[in-house]
Amino acid sequence: MPLDHRRLRGPEESQPPALWAATAAEDEEDEEGAGAAPRDPCALRPLFARAGLLSQAQGSAYVELGSGTKVLCAAWGPREAAEPGPGRLLCEFRRAPFAGRGARGRPGAAAEREAEREAAAALREALEPAVRLGRYPRARLAVSALLLQDGGSALAAAVSAAALALADAGVEMYDLAVGCALCRPPAPAASWMLQPAEPEERRAAARLTLALLPALNQVSAVLGGGRGGPPEDWAQALRLGLDGCHRQYPVLRQSLLRAAQRRDAAAAT
């Protein structure tokens, strides 16, 4: 009997894929929990930032954290608004379908949209004090953040990327808004941890995201909640977050300066 080359002949003995689903999930949990060396809670993860990489937007920025978080932001404006009054800042936060790790813990469509709306509102709260909206009467400024990969501290990375994108678009600002995330593990007497990864955030008893204007030493937003302990512990978390923002600030400023140099070099040629 001639072989049918249009078909792929499977093995004579095989197992259904569902047999290995539970084992894969258990292996993933083991990789995240056991075997991970404890890290310094005051240590910042490596930060990469680049401004001015999208030609379709007036301003853009890309921020990546060492935990695997990747955020791409674009900014436009000012554009004329129909309603009178001072300038308005419109913020959008979207999560790419492939941003998470697999389907585990993936919320439904309604819950995901609600989470994106809350993140967009938090983004606007963190950025508005940094933008000189009084310079743009009857105008709209827009910034859109796309979370490409969620490795933890996603909102903090989006704040930094969105501020870079607005500055790259030439929007007048008082200062760059720098975001920093913290979490407190559920273990008793555990200390706060800077820039938690996604597994650390998922197991945390309390989480905090801080936005700071470092040149003015002004906090633009404090977002968080959970069982963080007495007020002294929250004060400690704020001090740790402020220090983390100040340490990230030179990297963001340098990326903005390099984008301006690339733009001037392109205009000269």
Side-chain angles (χ1 to χ4, degrees):
M1 180 178 179
L3 294 176
D4 187 355
H5 296 284
R6 294 173 299 177
R7 298 175 181 269
L8 293 176
R9 296 177 61 86
E12 296 181 358
E13 296 182 0
S14 61
Q15 300 290 342
L19 180 65
W20 311 103
T23 305
E26 292 173 1
D27 292 343
E28 187 175 345
E29 291 290 342
D30 293 340
E31 291 176 1
E32 293 174 356
R39 67 181 183 93
D40 183 4
C42 299
L44 286 174
R45 296 186 184 276
L47 169 67
F48 173 79
R50 181 182 173 92
L53 68 162
L54 293 180
S55 59
Q56 299 87 351
Q58 290 179 258
S60 60
Y62 171 80
V63 168
E64 180 175 340
L65 298 179
S67 60
T69 296
K70 301 175 183 179
V71 182
L72 180 65
C73 285
W76 299 269
R79 296 176 178 176
E80 184 179 359
E83 63 278 1
R88 296 180 57 199
L89 178 63
L90 306 179
C91 293
E92 180 187 31
F93 184 95
R94 292 182 296 118
R95 182 185 179 94
F98 48 82
R101 295 185 57 184
R104 183 192 55 189
R106 181 178 298 170
E112 188 170 349
R113 286 194 298 268
E114 181 63 25
E116 290 178 348
R117 283 193 293 266
E118 292 178 357
L123 195 61
R124 178 181 176 185
E125 181 180 347
L127 293 174
E128 274 190 337
V131 181
R132 304 185 67 178
L133 292 175
R135 294 280 189 174
Y136 305 99
R138 297 194 60 175
R140 293 179 297 125
L141 306 170
V143 61
S144 176
L146 175 63
L147 179 61
L148 299 173
Q149 183 174 333
D150 186 4
S153 308
L155 180 57
V159 169
S160 300
L164 272 181
L166 287 169
D168 184 61
V171 174
E172 293 192 36
M173 304 176 70
Y174 295 104
D175 192 12
L176 287 175
V178 183
C180 188
L182 305 97
C183 81
R184 184 177 183 273
S191 59
W192 286 85
M193 183 180 300
L194 273 176
Q195 288 183 330
E198 190 273 336
E200 295 169 340
E201 279 188 336
R202 188 165 11 99
R203 295 189 295 264
R207 292 191 289 177
L208 185 67
T209 299
L210 179 71
L212 176 71
L213 311 181
L216 304 177
N217 201 26
Q218 176 183 339
V219 176
S220 61
V222 178
L223 309 163
R227 301 184 301 276
E232 293 79 12
D233 289 352
W234 288 99
Q236 178 193 3
L238 286 174
R239 288 191 295 268
L240 189 60
L242 291 174
D243 179 66
C245 290
H246 281 291
R247 288 155 61 190
Q248 295 180 80
Y249 188 51
V251 179
L252 301 178
R253 286 187 57 187
Q254 188 66 24
S255 67
L256 190 60
L257 178 61
R258 289 175 179 172
Q261 292 172 346
R262 289 194 302 269
R263 191 179 294 111
D264 293 343
T269 59

